[in-house]
Amino acid sequence: MSDLHLDAGRPELTAIFQRFLADCPGRVDELFLLGDIFEAWIGDDDDAPWLVPVVDALRRAGDAGVRIFFQHGNRDFLLGEAFAARAGMILLPESLPLDLGGVATVLCHGDALCTDDLDYQAFRARSRDPAWQAQILAMPLEARRGLARQLRQESMDGQQRRLAEDGVLTDVNEAAVRDCMHDHGAVRLIHGHTHRPAAHSVALDGGSGERVVLADWRSEGEVLEVRPDGSFRRHMLRG
């Protein structure tokens, strides 16, 4: 799953996530959270009360035998080892190749594939710089909360501007998709970020592959189940 965008203003989605985690033990072996699980992450020292039950639900699922993996998105790239340890999560690199049911697969959030969005890629390069991150995390907590609100507003303004200019929002670049799959020897790519759930055929050297896009969480949630035989199914999670 990806793009839950959990925050204090969406308690209904937080409740859906908590119920899902409570149902995972005995049914789910591994859970991959592919970024933007949180609407904004201002540092592992965030003391917002609404985060406490989320941490508890993650920890209980992990303690019950579910291996939980977290991949950074464009909203929660500051999430670090301290929070991951509290929640019982394993942090992943930005692209993870693995065998899922006999299918060579690569998992990523998806923002690095949107190479045509030059403004965002410039921000992405800056925000992944350890020196920049250290500077931000050294700010007082309230200042970071204000910065997060500012960045969210700038993101929304940028989306509206691109819609007005081009009529559509920037999607992944097909060449970037093929390069990612080729580099990792994958025939299936699973990602989020674009909020455009679908399955696409991808032309690869010597054959074809597929790109599976996860849904963002709006009034309901979604999880993609990959079965032991490599097939997959989407499940809707409702309140």
Side-chain angles (χ1 to χ4, degrees):
M1 59 174 63
S2 73
D3 297 277
L4 282 63
H5 294 276
L6 301 179
D7 70 6
R10 308 178 81 193
E12 70 283 0
L13 296 187
T14 301
I16 291 172
F17 187 48
Q18 290 175 259
R19 284 195 294 272
F20 169 76
L21 289 171
D23 289 339
C24 279
R27 302 173 61 188
V28 175
D29 298 317
E30 296 178 323
L31 174 62
F32 293 90
L33 306 175
L34 303 189
D36 284 5
I37 305 307
F38 302 99
E39 173 66 8
W41 194 260
I42 59 174
D44 291 1
D45 58 340
D46 190 351
D47 58 2
W50 73 271
L51 279 171
V52 175
V54 176
V55 174
D56 290 345
L58 286 164
R59 171 58 70 179
R60 284 195 296 270
D63 289 346
V66 182
R67 297 183 72 206
I68 302 176
F69 302 90
F70 180 90
Q71 200 166 47
H72 294 105
N74 55 293
R75 297 299 186 100
D76 45 24
F77 56 85
L78 287 176
L79 192 146
E81 292 284 357
F83 181 83
R86 287 209 315 275
M89 303 189 301
I90 300 167
L91 295 184
L92 298 176
E94 67 175 36
S95 296
L96 177 72
L98 74 170
D99 182 299
L100 285 181
V103 179
T105 303
V106 59
L107 307 179
C108 65
H109 177 60
D111 58 325
L113 303 173
C114 298
T115 55
D116 296 322
D117 189 344
L118 301 181
D119 289 341
Y120 171 70
Q121 292 302 325
F123 169 76
R124 187 180 190 279
R126 183 171 72 254
S127 64
R128 299 311 191 272
D129 178 60
W132 185 91
Q133 293 188 2
Q135 181 180 6
I136 297 300
L137 292 173
M139 296 168 59
L141 197 55
E142 282 305 315
R144 279 179 270 151
R145 288 194 174 107
L147 178 61
R149 289 190 293 270
Q150 176 187 331
L151 291 175
R152 284 200 300 269
Q153 187 60 52
E154 289 176 358
S155 175
M156 289 187 290
D157 291 346
Q159 290 177 0
Q160 292 301 316
R161 184 179 66 255
R162 287 190 292 274
L163 278 173
E165 293 173 352
D166 305 325
V168 295
L169 292 175
T170 305
D171 201 352
V172 298
N173 178 282
E174 292 300 326
V177 167
R178 290 191 297 271
D179 288 346
C180 177
M181 296 177 72
H182 177 269
D183 290 346
H184 295 292
V187 295
R188 177 183 288 165
L189 167 65
I190 300 175
H191 72 85
H193 180 64
T194 63
H195 300 188
R196 296 174 176 177
H200 305 270
S201 179
V202 180
L204 301 173
D205 293 339
S208 64
E210 62 183 338
R211 178 171 66 91
V212 182
V213 188
L214 303 174
D216 59 311
W217 287 32
R218 297 184 185 182
S219 59
E220 56 191 10
E222 183 201 83
V223 59
L224 184 79
E225 173 196 7
V226 182
R227 302 186 180 103
D229 65 359
S231 62
F232 63 85
R233 177 187 175 191
R234 297 177 188 269
H235 296 272
M236 304 310 298
L237 306 175
R238 296 180 172 88

